[in-house]
Amino acid sequence: MTHFVFPPAALTVLAVSGGGLFPVRRIFCVGQNYADHTREMGGDPSREPPFFFAKPTDAVTSAPTVPYPPATQRLDYEGELVVAIGTGGAGIAPAEAEAHIYGYAAGCDLTRRDLQAEARKIGRPWDMAKGFDASAAIGVLMPADEVGHPGKGAITLSVNGMEKQRSDLSCMIWSVPEIIATLSSYVTLAPGDLIFSGTPAGIGPLFKGDRVDIRINGVAAHVFTVV
Ligand code: MN
């Protein structure tokens, strides 16, 4: 008889508005999907298209507190629309993409900016800058059945009540259907996959005690405190 040599880890889940749990599979992220953020990172959005990176599933937290991570002097917020895949597929056409979406959440792609800057400079991977524990703060998942598919609407992030980021979902370089089409040309998407869709300009540092409030008009909100 075969057996687990130690108990398997608990599933990572997101709470769904109205009840139920969404089992999380993988976390993909889009880099530089708003032109104003590409420019603030020193890039040229007309020459550098968005790109993908990933975080481990264990990085997800929906807790009201997020621990300040070790090994960084510069933890940054990035407020983002998170897209939750309900139906998998490969080679998904943009026109079919919305049918693959279960719902949406507000999220924060927490980033060790100092480690990222170092990695960018010498062309090394971003994993330790982007994929650390509790680096994917995500709120309650709103089913698309209830909130629809927002192609536009304000996305804001405030720290301690001061607005730091404000843009509109319509300002994404790759729209959500285009993200799904492009990503599914690289990997076969599966139910449970999450996609961070990129952050607008206004990124900045967080400190212990800061209260972060991300709002996406008509879709979702998520609030947490750095401890
Ligand atoms: Mn991001």
Side-chain angles (χ1 to χ4, degrees):
M1 185 182 140
T2 193
H3 61 284
F4 291 115
V5 297
F6 51 81
L11 271 178
T12 297
V13 295
L14 291 179
V16 175
S17 170
L21 297 173
F22 179 91
V24 177
R25 185 154 172 172
R26 294 170 295 182
I27 307 169
F28 300 101
C29 306
V30 183
Q32 301 187 358
N33 198 27
Y34 289 80
D36 55 358
H37 172 61
T38 305
R39 284 189 284 267
E40 80 178 344
M41 291 297 287
D44 175 355
S46 68
R47 289 191 306 112
E48 295 166 54
F51 54 90
F52 294 103
F53 60 94
K55 293 177 187 262
T57 302
D58 282 7
V60 170
T61 179
S62 296
T65 58
V66 169
Y68 196 98
T72 185
Q73 305 300 317
R74 171 79 191 232
L75 176 69
D76 271 16
Y77 54 80
E78 295 190 357
E80 309 197 10
L81 174 71
V82 178
V83 182
I85 297 295
T87 308
I92 299 166
E96 306 298 324
E98 284 184 350
H100 292 261
I101 298 171
Y102 176 79
Y104 299 91
C108 193
D109 167 14
L110 289 158
T111 302
R112 284 169 169 148
R113 194 70 69 197
D114 46 356
L115 299 199
Q116 187 199 30
E118 229 171 90
R120 281 163 62 100
K121 208 169 9 178
I122 54 179
R124 286 199 176 155
W126 290 8
D127 301 53
M128 293 304 107
K130 288 289 196 177
F132 52 91
D133 298 340
S135 61
I138 306 177
V140 172
L141 187 54
M142 310 298 288
D145 278 357
E146 288 171 27
V147 298
H149 295 279
K152 58 183 166 55
I155 174 169
T156 63
L157 181 145
S158 302
V159 180
N160 302 325
M162 295 215 350
E163 191 173 280
K164 303 287 190 182
Q165 293 186 287
R166 169 174 288 273
S167 188
D168 194 282
L169 300 178
S170 63
C171 294
M172 287 184 191
I173 295 170
W174 286 343
S175 68
V176 169
E178 288 166 346
I179 292 169
I180 291 172
T182 307
L183 183 56
S184 72
S185 74
Y186 290 107
V187 296
T188 300
L189 288 175
D193 288 341
L194 299 176
I195 308 169
F196 276 77
S197 58
T199 199
I203 56 166
L206 290 171
F207 301 94
K208 284 185 182 181
D210 282 350
R211 184 175 181 277
V212 179
D213 185 333
I214 305 156
R215 283 165 199 268
I216 299 166
N217 240 5
V219 184
H222 185 49
V223 179
F224 64 90
T225 301
V226 180
V227 296

